[in-house]
Amino acid sequence: MVPAQHARRLHRVMLALVAALVASIVLIGRHPIGAFAQTASSNPPSLTIAGTLGDPPQERILFISAATPISGAEVLVSDFVRVDNAATITDPIAIAPLPARVEAGRPLTLTVTVSFANARSGAYNGAIWLNYDADGIPSSLQIPVTITIKDPPGPPFVALISGVAVAALISTYLGGGRQRDDLAVRIERLAARVTSASGLPDSVRRALRQYLNRADAWVRMGKLAEAQHEYDQAEQMLTRWLGWLESWRALKTRIDQARAMLQPDAQGRPAYAAGIQRILDEIEGSTPTVEDLNDVQNRLNEVIERINGFLHLVTRHKNLQKILDATALTPAEKGPYQAQIDQLARQIETLLPEPASDQPNYQTLSDAITSLNTELKALLPKGAPESALLGSQSGQAAGPAALVIEDIAPQFARVAINLPPSEAAATLKSVAAGFPANLPWARIRLSGFRLAQFLILITLWGWTGYNELYIQNPTFGSDWLSNYFTLLAWGFTSEAARATLTTLSGRLGLSAEQ
């Protein structure tokens, strides 16, 4: 009896299990598995929102549609995690309230507001979960959301400009350093050339050393423009005089000869000779400022004329004494004439070579000597053959004591050296040939071109980097060191490229001119 009851009970359990299994299969056939999980869809199916730190909140609308009525809808928002897992945004999204029920075929509007206030730059991934009842069946819908945030444009722009500024400062410093070092080397080399150049006038050598000493002092003070000016003056003077050396040696020989023609004694007498020596010293001392050796030759010829005139005057005065001694006058009769000769000697001793300071005037002395010479010749014995040498009338010779021959003053020939052409004339020709280039507008055009070149290169290069590295990068600032350093480096290279191009173009232009 008992086994039969157990068997019937087991049979009923099996029938219940079979019925439950059949019911489950039928229910599954009517409601597929996906219907339990999701019966609605979103348009768009996902959100991608880009913004900048500090921007106002952005609003997006999602349309949720379903084939069955939707009720009891609620929204859950996940945390947003940056793709490198280095930062998280909590509650970046706010959802507007939802209606209690939406009929089938009508869309459910989901208003999404995204805030960029509490975030760091980068790309963040998260999701919006919509849980609802679809015709009494619990369902859910996941909407993927990507938020990209980058730094505001101000700091990246400052980084770019900082790179340009740093590069410009370095270029300026290096350019000045190279210019300073180059100028210092050129000054040293020019000083060596001055030392090794033989035949330069001492005054020119001293002037060159003064120029170079001043140039070196300006370099040490960092004033390169002033140093360059002094160097240019020295280089031009040395170049000019190296081309004049042969001509100057010839002129210097004639100056020394002129100096030897008229020498004062230890007491500086006569004053005329001392004055001539001063003038010759001035001619040699003025050589650093000479622009044309012909000027030196002309001044030297003027001095030679004065020397010849003075020597002629002195010789004529000496002839007066010879003529007086050859006369047959008694000592008492010679006294007044001797006094005149002595007076003329004192006047010659005080005569100066400067025309404005002649005391008495050279011509007055010459006229006085001529007058006395004529008067003394008239007192010579008549008829002496030698008296013809004195310009007197012929007559019977008075004896050997009457023989008088006038001395002839030594004369120094004028200087006539074939000198190099005037540098001033060559300069005028070069100025005439290049006149348009020397107009004031040339410097303005050059400065304007350099400024335009700088602005164009920096603008184009800098804008390219700003666009590529910042504008086109939606997550600029997420890797702070890399992003800003790259932008800084781009600005640096833009200025370096500009400096390189400017230097290259300058060298090419210089090569073309050469």
Side-chain angles (χ1 to χ4, degrees), residues 14 39 49 62 68 74 77 99 118 140-141 156 166-167 202 220 236 240 247 273 299 361 444 463-464 503:
M14 291 299 294
T39 61
I49 304 172
L62 296 174
T68 60
E74 62 177 354
V77 179
N118 301 317
S140 63
L141 175 63
V166 170
D202 292 338
R220 296 178 186 277
Q236 292 171 9
R240 180 168 62 244
S247 300
R299 292 184 63 188
N361 184 272
I444 298 175
W463 172 254
T464 301
T503 303

Side-chain angles (χ1 to χ4, degrees), residues 130-439:
L130 177 64
N131 297 324
Y132 58 92
D133 288 337
D135 200 13
I137 300 175
S139 300
S140 63
L141 175 63
Q142 180 185 6
I143 305 171
V145 180
T146 299
I147 300 176
T148 58
I149 307 173
K150 65 180 178 181
D151 288 0
F157 182 77
V158 171
L160 179 67
I161 296 301
S162 298
V164 174
V166 170
L169 290 175
I170 294 176
S171 297
T172 302
Y173 173 76
L174 292 179
R178 285 194 300 270
Q179 183 182 3
R180 181 172 57 251
D181 294 342
D182 176 70
L183 187 55
V185 171
R186 288 190 288 134
I187 291 173
E188 183 179 356
R189 290 177 179 173
L190 192 60
R193 290 178 61 193
V194 171
T195 302
S196 61
S198 61
L200 288 176
D202 292 338
S203 57
V204 172
R205 201 182 299 273
R206 287 193 300 270
L208 288 170
R209 288 172 177 165
Q210 290 174 357
Y211 277 128
L212 294 177
N213 288 337
R214 288 196 295 267
D216 184 68
W218 285 124
V219 168
R220 296 178 186 277
M221 295 172 62
K223 297 185 177 182
L224 301 185
E226 290 82 353
Q228 185 66 50
H229 175 73
E230 298 291 341
Y231 173 85
D232 291 341
Q233 294 292 323
E235 185 179 40
Q236 292 171 9
M237 179 182 293
L238 180 60
T239 302
R240 180 168 62 244
W241 275 96
L242 288 178
W244 286 352
L245 282 181
E246 292 300 325
S247 300
W248 169 251
R249 290 190 183 99
L251 277 177
K252 182 64 168 63
T253 300
R254 302 305 298 274
I255 290 175
D256 293 339
Q257 292 173 354
R259 196 185 300 277
M261 288 290 294
L262 196 61
Q263 289 282 352
D265 59 16
Q267 287 74 35
R269 295 190 302 263
Y272 201 94
I276 290 295
Q277 297 300 322
R278 287 195 300 271
I279 294 176
L280 292 174
D281 291 341
E282 290 174 1
I283 291 176
E284 289 193 85
S286 65
T287 50
T289 60
V290 170
E291 298 292 338
D292 187 354
L293 278 184
N294 288 288
D295 295 338
V296 177
Q297 180 169 267
N298 294 335
R299 292 184 63 188
L300 180 57
N301 282 328
E302 291 178 1
V303 174
I304 290 173
E305 290 179 0
R306 295 184 184 184
I307 292 175
N308 290 336
F310 184 77
L311 291 175
H312 183 62
L313 192 69
V314 170
T315 302
R316 291 175 61 205
H317 177 267
K318 291 180 180 179
N319 287 333
L320 293 177
Q321 189 66 51
K322 292 179 65 176
I323 297 173
L324 178 62
D325 292 340
T327 62
L329 299 176
T330 64
E333 293 173 334
K334 290 181 179 180
Y337 295 106
Q338 187 65 51
Q340 293 183 53
I341 293 174
D342 293 342
Q343 177 64 24
L344 289 173
R346 288 190 293 272
Q347 292 177 356
I348 291 174
E349 285 290 327
T350 59
L351 185 65
L352 296 175
E354 293 79 8
S357 304
D358 282 349
Q359 297 293 334
N361 184 272
Y362 177 91
Q363 189 61 42
T364 302
L365 273 174
S366 178
D367 293 343
I369 291 175
T370 300
S371 176
L372 185 57
N373 180 279
T374 302
E375 186 175 352
L376 289 175
K377 284 180 181 179
L379 298 176
L380 288 172
K382 305 296 183 181
E386 60 272 15
S387 66
L389 300 174
L390 301 175
S392 63
Q393 297 179 354
S394 61
Q396 298 295 323
L403 180 62
V404 177
I405 300 177
E406 289 183 294
D407 293 332
I408 299 175
Q411 295 293 290
F412 188 33
R414 287 175 57 87
V415 180
I417 300 174
N418 187 17
L419 299 175
S422 168
E423 181 177 322
T427 302
L428 289 176
K429 291 181 180 179
S430 64
V431 169
F435 178 74
N438 294 328
L439 290 173

Side-chain angles (χ1 to χ4, degrees), residues 30-64:
R30 293 179 57 190
H31 301 281
I33 294 177
F36 286 98
Q38 177 177 320
T39 61
S41 62
S42 173
N43 183 22
S46 62
L47 283 179
T48 299
I49 304 172
T52 301
L53 290 177
D55 283 354
Q58 296 186 21
E59 189 176 90
R60 297 288 189 274
I61 296 177
L62 296 174
F63 297 99
I64 309 300

